Structure formats: C-alpha cells, structure tokens
Amino acid sequence: MTRDIDYIVDKFSDDIYRAALAVTGSVHEAEDIVSEVIIKYFTRQGELFFNDDEHLKAWLLRTAINLSKDLLRSAGRRLRAENEVSASSDFSSPDMQIDVQNAINRLDKKYRIVLYLFYYQGCKTDEIADILGTSKGTVTSRLKRAREKLKLSLSDYEKEMSV
C-alpha cells in the first residue's frame, strides 16, 4: 500500500511529534525527529510492508521513540529548556495545562513514554508493550508508578498554591 507524503504528514505527524516530545522533552528536538521519521519512512518505503494504518502508525511511533532515545544518548545533545510545554492538551485552563505538562516533563522518560502512548495515543497496554519491546506487566507497572508520581507532584504543587 503506497502512501504519499501529504497523507503521512497529515495523518501521523502530530502523533510522531508527541511521541518524540514525550521522550526528549524538547519541542525543537521533537520537530527534528518528525522530519527524520518521515524521511526514514520514504527512503525505506520499498522495503516496508504494512497491513493497515495502525501497523504503519506503530512503526512510525517505534521509529520516533528509537530516534529520540538515540538523540538522548548522543554526546552533543543540547540541554532542554525547563519550561517547554506541549502545544496540544485538553486541560481546562492554560495554567493547569502548564502545571500538568511540567509535572509530566519531570518524570523519567520511561514513564513519559507510557503515559503518552496510553493517554494521547489511546494504545492498550499490550500494544504499548509491543511498541516498546517490553512485557505487558512492565507497562502496567510503569503506568501505575507514573500516575502515582504525577498525583504526588501535583498535590505538592496544589499545597504550594494554596499557601
């Protein structure tokens, strides 16, 4: 199934961007990763076969996560800005959106990734396990720990704000 660049960009670029942002924590690096993933797809398109768009999406997300991890491991990685915030979220107020995104950004990347895939992409735990190459139990455990850490982080913030 051949897909053109407009289709790939329109349908998947936001998902790729959010996955890269969840790993890198940097808007600029996430934007670069989107470009790299799309280029990689089109340079390897003849070698790749996907049953459907979900299969393609899983490959694109896995590629984005791998490229993001590679970037984090690279020696020349720039330090990310502390207050970078994702442009898309559905929290009620801008302040709440920033607070939640900052709390998420402070989590270890292994927690950010599972939160992103579960809540933003709507992936089930077994799908996340496949994408990350880990067990379903590990994904479930990371989701639970991530929620606990967010709850603690946001409750501490709430206490500070009420003082």
Side-chain angles (χ1 to χ4, degrees), residues 9-161:
V9 170
D10 291 343
K11 184 145 178 123
F12 301 109
S13 63
D14 287 343
D15 297 331
I16 298 167
Y17 170 79
R18 289 188 194 111
L21 183 62
V23 177
T24 64
S26 167
V27 169
H28 301 293
E29 290 171 349
E31 291 168 348
D32 290 343
I33 295 291
V34 172
S35 298
E36 287 183 55
V37 169
I38 291 171
I39 290 168
K40 188 172 216 160
Y41 169 75
F42 281 102
T43 57
R44 295 192 54 207
Q45 190 174 13
E47 308 166 21
L48 304 170
F49 174 77
F50 302 105
N51 298 327
D52 54 24
D53 277 357
E54 286 303 310
H55 187 201
L56 171 59
K57 180 178 175 180
W59 184 88
L60 293 169
L61 291 175
R62 176 75 256 163
T63 302
I65 290 167
N66 286 341
L67 289 172
S68 298
K69 286 179 178 179
D70 290 347
L71 179 68
L72 291 176
R73 282 191 288 268
S74 71
R77 181 176 187 262
R78 294 168 277 143
L79 293 174
R80 69 176 179 195
E82 286 296 317
N83 293 324
E84 288 192 43
V85 178
S86 171
S88 60
S89 184
D90 35 34
F91 298 104
S92 56
S93 74
D95 288 340
M96 174 71 127
Q97 180 181 351
I98 290 169
D99 296 337
V100 171
Q101 189 61 49
N102 284 337
I104 291 170
N105 287 343
R106 286 191 299 270
L107 293 174
D108 289 343
K109 81 177 169 197
K110 65 184 178 184
Y111 299 126
R112 288 193 313 260
I113 294 169
V114 294
L115 284 173
Y116 166 75
L117 292 172
F118 188 80
Y119 288 108
Y120 288 91
Q121 289 301 314
C123 295
K124 295 181 171 94
T125 53
D126 54 339
E127 294 171 320
I128 297 170
D130 287 342
I131 290 170
L132 297 179
T134 188
S135 72
K136 184 178 175 180
T138 299
V139 170
T140 304
S141 173
R142 286 180 183 172
L143 273 172
K144 181 177 185 248
R145 288 187 185 124
R147 290 179 191 126
E148 290 169 353
K149 290 175 181 290
L150 276 178
K151 184 177 178 179
L152 179 63
S153 177
L154 292 172
S155 68
D156 289 346
Y157 173 78
E158 185 178 59
K159 288 175 189 171
E160 289 174 19
M161 295 305 291

